Amino acid sequence: MGAISLRNVTKAYGSGPKAVKVIHGVDAEIPDGEFIVIVGPSGCGKSTLLRMVAGLEAFQQGEIHIAGRKVNDLHPSERDIAMVFQDYALYPHMTVRGNMGFGLKMRKHDAADIARRVADAAAILQIEHLLDRRPRELSGGQRQRVAMGRAIVRNPKVFLFDEPLSNLDAKLRVEMRAEIKRLHQASGITSVYVTHDQVEAMTLGSRIAVMKGGVVQQLGTPDEIYNQPANTYVATFIGSPTMNLLPAERAVAGVQVAGTLLDLTAPPSNAPLLLGVRPEHVLLQDSSPWRGQVSVVEPTGPDTYVVVDTASGPVTLRTGAQTQARPGDRVGLAVEQAHAHWFDAGTESRLVTS
Ligand code: ADP
């Protein structure tokens, strides 16, 4: 059994006819040492799920196990977890040292043990020089480090992170993201991290659970999520610019997209087809019969995004910064078989190529 095990975990807010189900039977086995990210749009239930693991939300059905112990009925303080929130909730009148050691003091650790653990955590987080300051004398990033320090000193079995970086500006977010990754690599403590940010999910997660409407749509490695998305929701949620989805039809010698025959093979199925292509896999190819007109050229620095209006609607491609494409140009587009994703247009599930 993993460090955390969720079995058919189900939750509704309210009761009786007014009950609103927000978590619909989630199953997950999280092995020891894994860094799992739960990602999804606002309201999909990710914080609720994390709070259920923490013991902050009761639930109606299913089981949660931490380190081999069923914890359904255990108080948060008995679960051997430490949580880091976006709201750091540091005590303003205490120093950094006091804030970091407070939880241990409440648990009646002796002073020497507290001092040692605080010193170790401060060294890991490189905040030794801040130990005697109060929260108001710290920057946002430093406060976030203290909040993490407070969690580290407990040496828990599991870290739970609830959008810990959303209050920070973009540059600091990237720095702290790397810091959290380093912290996990150094400590090896099983971590569950909730975010709505797909880049955080891809960069931090050893596995990612993509949620929508209280249901885990796919649980997989970043590579699986990006390269074999289970459905159109996952395919378009992860990746920026988003994956192009084009209605397609099987033909005798290929696949037709808006009446143009492309040299592609769709999986054997009678389902109505959607062809998915990531922007980096749409190629500009003069000789291609699949035509369109460039409508927008967006340089981003390293890459340029080009939007081409086609008979199937706009298709976005990502090209190098040196692209010659200009609005108004007529261009040909192409896709390689290896980079074509196929979905059932009815169920929106991935069709597997045999
Ligand atoms: P997320 O973290 O993905 O933004 P939440 O877990 O906070 O989503 O919320 C999931 C759903 O549960 C949302 O539809 C939200 O409105 C609802 N919800 C959250 N908390 C409560 C509550 N205390 N009472 C009723 N509904 C709630």
Side-chain angles (χ1 to χ4, degrees):
M1 191 191 302
I4 307 175
S5 169
L6 306 180
R7 299 180 191 160
N8 191 28
V9 166
T10 303
K11 172 168 179 79
Y13 281 109
S15 56
K18 285 208 179 127
V20 182
K21 214 166 160 186
V22 293
I23 302 293
H24 298 258
V26 168
D27 288 297
E29 288 295 327
I30 303 167
D32 219 8
E34 185 163 66
F35 195 115
I36 190 153
V37 178
I38 304 174
V39 67
S42 180
C44 73
K46 50 194 189 303
S47 296
T48 300
L49 192 58
L50 191 78
R51 290 168 58 82
M52 286 157 72
V53 175
L56 300 170
E57 294 284 353
F59 54 99
Q60 290 80 11
Q61 210 183 316
E63 292 186 4
I64 298 181
H65 296 245
I66 297 177
R69 236 180 1 150
K70 184 173 162 194
V71 298
N72 283 39
D73 302 318
L74 290 187
H75 188 265
S77 63
E78 299 169 315
R79 294 191 178 200
D80 217 349
I81 50 149
M83 204 154 171
V84 182
F85 297 93
Q86 73 175 261
D87 170 9
Y88 329 118
L90 300 176
Y91 297 111
H93 58 285
M94 284 186 201
T95 61
V96 167
R97 191 190 309 281
N99 268 286
M100 283 171 66
F102 186 70
L104 298 175
K105 204 167 155 190
M106 289 291 99
R107 286 179 168 76
K108 313 254 185 278
H109 287 247
D110 67 57
D113 181 47
I114 296 175
R116 185 181 51 78
R117 289 183 187 225
V118 169
D120 288 351
I124 292 171
L125 293 163
Q126 297 167 4
I127 52 173
E128 291 141 304
H129 59 298
L130 304 175
L131 282 171
D132 294 315
R133 289 203 197 164
R134 292 184 203 283
R136 67 168 182 279
E137 298 162 326
L138 303 175
S139 69
Q142 290 169 335
R143 281 182 209 162
Q144 184 55 268
R145 280 198 177 86
V146 177
M148 286 201 282
R150 197 173 42 183
I152 293 172
V153 293
R154 306 249 321 272
N155 195 22
K157 288 258 179 340
V158 173
F159 275 135
L160 303 177
F161 295 93
D162 192 359
E163 305 242 11
L165 307 184
S166 28
N167 283 344
L168 305 178
D169 66 44
K171 182 165 175 285
L172 202 50
R173 224 164 35 225
V174 173
E175 281 173 29
M176 290 305 291
R177 198 169 75 198
E179 194 103 344
I180 290 176
K181 190 148 189 166
R182 215 168 15 242
L183 175 67
H184 177 252
Q185 281 161 0
S187 72
I189 294 178
T190 312
S191 302
V192 186
Y193 187 104
V194 159
T195 180
H196 63 274
D197 182 328
Q198 48 142 330
V199 178
E200 263 174 38
M202 289 293 283
T203 51
L204 283 172
S206 42
R207 280 193 306 160
I208 300 172
V210 182
M211 276 187 87
K212 177 196 167 197
V215 176
V216 174
Q217 304 288 314
Q218 185 172 4
L219 175 58
T221 62
D223 179 60
E224 285 162 351
I225 297 278
Y226 193 74
N227 294 311
Q228 293 161 52
N231 54 38
T232 55
Y233 183 79
V234 176
T236 52
F237 187 77
I238 303 282
S240 176
T242 193
M243 182 188 279
N244 298 290
L245 290 177
L246 309 160
E249 277 176 40
R250 288 178 190 75
V252 178
V255 168
Q256 283 204 331
V257 172
T260 305
L261 187 65
L262 303 183
D263 184 16
L264 294 171
T265 308
S269 150
N270 292 324
L273 270 187
L274 279 177
L275 165 62
V277 196
R278 295 215 178 269
E280 61 269 35
H281 296 139
V282 183
L283 308 172
L284 285 171
Q285 195 178 87
D286 277 346
S287 59
S288 172
W290 183 23
R291 314 294 301 174
Q293 184 168 29
V294 174
S295 61
V296 180
V297 177
E298 289 181 331
T300 68
D303 297 320
T304 296
Y305 306 150
V306 178
V307 182
V308 178
D309 290 336
T310 72
S312 325
V315 171
T316 302
L317 54 129
R318 171 187 262 160
T319 64
Q322 305 310 321
T323 183
Q324 303 296 314
R326 295 289 173 268
D329 288 356
R330 305 274 321 162
V331 292
L333 303 177
V335 184
E336 289 174 7
Q337 175 72 28
H339 294 132
H341 299 259
W342 303 100
F343 301 98
D344 178 327
T347 64
E348 304 191 333
S349 296
R350 182 180 191 81
L351 293 169
V352 180
T353 322
S354 56

